[in-house]
Amino acid sequence: MERGGLGLNALPPPKASDITVHAEFVCTPPMTVRFTQNSIGMAFRNPEEGTVLQLAEDLRTGAVSPADVEPVPVYEDANGQLWAYGNRRLGAFQMAGADMPIVRTSEFIPRYFTTETLGLSIEIRGYGWWSPITGFTPYEGD
């Protein structure tokens, strides 16, 4: 399913100038990274980490620094597109509009690639859809 009529190249891969290098990690604009999965749960696996929405709010207000969040492993495909193996964190950084710490991996893991939206949006199970282009869309009737 393609949302909003967007094609595969709607989000360009990051340019070298988009990537900020820090002493401990590399940050990139999260809008240049695509989701690998079709859906995520709202809560992180570790209950102490809270929810995607809480992390987004904490990043937006500065209560949490991007440097305090575990870098998101990303896979770069042959076309230079970045794909996240940390879809909840990617969603939170996109919602917050904060540059995201990443670590690149050359490992392609096919079982993680369940996206049906070309990685441009993701379902938050029980809530609705998130897209960095259109924002949050709750399920109809919610």
Side-chain angles (χ1 to χ4, degrees), residues 9-137:
N9 294 318
L11 296 177
K15 299 177 284 240
S17 61
D18 290 338
I19 298 176
T20 307
V21 178
H22 298 271
E24 313 83 49
F25 56 90
V26 174
C27 278
T28 192
M31 305 312 182
T32 63
V33 181
R34 294 198 185 179
F35 296 101
T36 53
Q37 296 175 318
N38 192 50
S39 68
I40 56 173
M42 177 63 78
F44 287 96
R45 286 191 186 127
N46 179 349
E48 294 177 8
E49 294 176 353
T51 68
V52 172
L53 292 179
Q54 184 60 55
L55 177 57
E57 181 64 17
D58 289 348
L59 288 164
R60 188 174 24 255
T61 63
V64 171
S65 165
D68 296 331
V69 179
E70 182 181 345
V72 175
V74 296
Y75 170 74
E76 185 173 354
D77 68 19
N79 296 318
Q81 179 60 59
L82 299 177
W83 297 88
Y85 287 138
N87 291 277
R88 287 184 187 100
R89 284 174 283 163
L90 173 57
F93 275 94
Q94 285 185 351
M95 290 174 194
D99 281 359
M100 180 176 70
I102 64 168
V103 59
R104 291 176 188 259
T105 178
S106 60
E107 185 177 5
F108 175 73
I109 308 172
R111 67 184 168 93
Y112 282 111
F113 282 78
T114 61
T115 182
E116 296 174 1
T117 64
L118 303 173
L120 297 173
S121 63
I122 197 160
E123 179 185 12
I124 302 175
R125 292 186 299 274
Y127 296 91
W129 285 87
W130 164 256
S131 165
I133 298 164
T134 61
F136 183 73
T137 305

